[in-house]
Amino acid sequence: MSSSVTALEQGRDLGRKIQPGPILLLGAPGVGKGTQAKELVKLWGIPQISTGDLLRANVAQGTQLGRVAKEIMGRGELVPDSLVNEMVAVRLLEPDTVRGYILDGFPRTLGQANWLDGRLATQVESLPVVAVSIQVNYNQLLRRITGRRNCPVCQTIYNVYMNPPKRDGFCDVEGAALVQRADDTEEVFKERMRAYAALTAPVVDHYREQGRFAEVDGDRPIAVIAAGIVAAVEKLRG
Ligand code: AMP
């Protein structure tokens, strides 16, 4: 058995023992928050709440929020806190969040973090949040972002450099033509990294100072990182 498979098996054993509660996945664009969130969903059966995915769904549906967000996202900037907080508030009312949820890409500003902290403080039955920050170096992130392709049908994520599909440009599972996100270009990536450094890095410090915080090295096989996150959450919930 490979070491990464063993690591995920160990993670699974750990993961079954705990009540996950609210989990924040923090980290720069391309560190693998979405990929890891999907691993944790399989393990714990709690939902992934990706503000990027929710915003893209609004753009695709042409809602009022989507029309405002489209331009901002295309520039690699952040959508205003009030709009994102409201969208998250509505999503957190869904009954599937009762045992916990994985917030992926939220909070991204101190304003969002303070809003979330305030909201959770009013919910006595909710466990406190556990924050996990995934670390990957800049050059690696650039390759991940510019090489990223998604299946529009099953949402499987590929990378043309590191995890290519068997047939160039097509999903292994669905056979659908893969798509690239409009903001996954080098130019927009640089703006997203600037927004991350200015606005989101302080959020990482905010949760580090609160405790219930862990950092994991995101430059390892997916299953090994997932096992690291599970072990960290288990320890912080212990
Ligand atoms: P993501 O899929 O998480 O990389 O997000 C894609 C884009 O959606 C970001 O570059 C932002 O423009 C926007 N976005 C996603 N989440 C947030 C958030 N929490 N606050 C503000 N803007 C967001």
Side-chain angles (χ1 to χ4, degrees):
M1 196 187 280
S2 77
S3 63
S4 61
V5 172
T6 312
L8 187 61
E9 289 303 320
Q10 285 166 354
R12 286 213 164 101
D13 287 344
L14 280 173
R16 284 198 195 98
K17 287 186 205 140
I18 63 161
Q19 162 89 357
I23 294 166
L24 312 183
L25 289 185
L26 305 174
V31 295
K33 298 185 295 292
T35 302
Q36 288 303 321
K38 288 181 176 64
E39 293 295 309
L40 301 177
V41 164
K42 280 188 251 168
L43 192 61
W44 285 322
I46 57 174
Q48 168 193 13
I49 302 178
S50 157
T51 44
D53 286 350
L54 291 175
L55 288 167
R56 279 185 288 279
N58 274 275
V59 172
Q61 288 156 17
T63 65
Q64 198 184 347
L65 169 61
R67 285 197 291 278
V68 176
K70 187 175 180 188
E71 304 266 303
I72 299 171
M73 292 168 78
R75 292 195 298 269
E77 295 168 9
L78 295 187
V79 176
D81 287 355
S82 56
L83 299 179
V84 180
N85 293 349
E86 174 60 24
M87 182 180 77
V88 171
V90 170
R91 180 63 185 85
L92 290 181
L93 293 175
E94 297 287 325
D96 62 348
T97 58
V98 169
R99 284 184 53 248
Y101 44 88
I102 299 148
L103 275 171
D104 155 14
F106 183 93
R108 251 181 167 94
T109 65
L110 278 179
Q112 293 176 12
N114 289 327
W115 173 84
L116 181 68
D117 292 352
R119 190 181 189 285
L120 290 176
T122 64
Q123 295 182 324
V124 278
E125 74 285 6
S126 171
L127 289 170
V129 293
V130 160
V132 180
S133 171
I134 308 175
Q135 310 279 320
V136 175
N137 77 44
Y138 185 95
N139 288 332
Q140 176 76 351
L141 290 179
L142 181 62
R143 269 165 66 86
R144 287 190 186 193
I145 288 279
T146 56
R148 178 158 64 184
R149 303 289 184 276
N150 297 338
C151 172
V153 180
C154 67
Q155 311 308 328
T156 300
I157 302 169
Y158 298 88
N159 186 286
V160 296
Y161 307 116
M162 292 167 288
N163 174 30
K166 293 194 183 79
R167 185 157 72 104
D168 195 19
F170 295 92
C171 180
D172 294 347
V173 185
E174 301 290 339
L178 299 178
V179 294
Q180 181 175 26
R181 275 171 46 175
D183 57 350
D184 276 352
T185 61
E186 183 165 352
E187 195 195 358
V188 180
F189 169 74
K190 287 185 175 153
E191 182 50 42
R192 287 160 74 197
M193 285 302 282
R194 266 194 291 276
Y196 180 80
L199 299 167
T200 311
V203 173
V204 177
D205 294 337
H206 170 84
Y207 286 106
R208 184 184 283 116
E209 282 158 22
Q210 278 195 9
R212 293 189 309 280
F213 172 87
E215 256 165 6
V216 299
D217 173 4
D219 198 4
R220 296 176 297 168
I222 291 169
V224 177
I225 303 165
I229 295 174
V230 170
V233 172
E234 158 92 343
K235 195 164 159 222
L236 292 165
R237 285 274 181 246

